[in-house]
Amino acid sequence: MSHAHTNLRRVPVQQRSADRLARILDAGAALLDETGYEQFSTRAVADRAGVPIGSVYRFFPNKRALVDALAERNLEVYAGRVVARLEAIPEREWREAIDAVLDEYLAMKRSVAGFALVDFGPPVPVPGPLDAEVNQRVAGRLTELLSGHLGRERDGAASDTRLLRTVLVCVQAADALLQLAFRAAPAGDPDLIAETRALLRAYLAGVLE
């Protein structure tokens, strides 16, 4: 199932175009760390990426669309990292699987350009119709990954629906708690992160044990 490139003006077909898109997104991510969203501009992204401004507009009508695409790419990268971690975790070890989901998020938060401001959705002060759907989209991907890894598909649709609802609550709660943790310390307050981990394990136990 492909989840990428759903909001581009033009989906790259040739490798050269795909490489240019990647450079644009990489430049945008770096600039977000340096300037924040308010000072962020498509002109600055074009200059940083070393491409004409028309190349940026070929893919994105405005900076919000570029940020949305960066968030979408972040989710794809995150999902790939989670899958790689889950491959080494036995099916019965669901707590270790949940730890992997949290740890990969924390690792990206600390090391991936632009992720601190734009993880899987636009910056908090930026309003828009998709904002309320961001955590639902993240919960959907995580439910898909966990359901497959833990063999939940064998239990039928009702079980999957319950897992999705539970994961959505966890994503919403963890989002708020980790925002607080990273406001308290640049690398995330370890005590708040530990509380987040305990909360996720305790709440998911009702569905996964």
Side-chain angles (χ1 to χ4, degrees), residues 180-203:
L180 182 62
F182 280 88
R183 283 198 298 269
D189 180 272
D191 292 332
L192 287 172
I193 289 172
E195 292 293 337
T196 302
R197 191 182 306 276
L199 181 149
L200 295 178
R201 285 183 167 197
Y203 191 69

Side-chain angles (χ1 to χ4, degrees), residues 53-64:
I53 187 64
S55 293
V56 177
Y57 287 130
R58 187 172 298 119
F59 294 114
F60 310 108
N62 51 48
K63 71 177 186 178
R64 171 62 189 267

Side-chain angles (χ1 to χ4, degrees), residues 1 11 29 69 79 101 124 134 142 144-146 167:
M1 181 185 300
V11 176
V101 167
V124 173
V134 171
L142 289 177
E144 177 185 333
L145 297 179
L146 289 171
V167 170

Side-chain angles (χ1 to χ4, degrees), residues 45-123:
V45 171
D47 291 344
R48 174 64 65 90
V51 301
I53 187 64
S55 293
V56 177
Y57 287 130
R58 187 172 298 119
F59 294 114
F60 310 108
N62 51 48
K63 71 177 186 178
R64 171 62 189 267
L66 196 158
V67 168
D68 285 344
L70 182 59
E72 193 172 58
R73 186 177 74 166
N74 285 341
L75 182 54
E76 290 305 305
V77 171
Y78 174 63
R81 291 173 64 140
V82 169
V83 167
R85 285 285 300 275
L86 292 179
E87 287 176 351
I89 299 172
E91 179 182 314
R92 66 184 180 279
E93 300 294 341
W94 68 264
R95 289 178 182 82
E96 191 175 341
I98 298 307
D99 284 346
V101 167
L102 177 59
D103 289 342
E104 288 306 316
Y105 179 85
L106 293 172
M108 291 184 69
K109 192 82 167 174
R110 292 164 177 156
S111 64
V112 174
F115 196 84
L117 186 62
V118 176
D119 48 17
F120 308 128

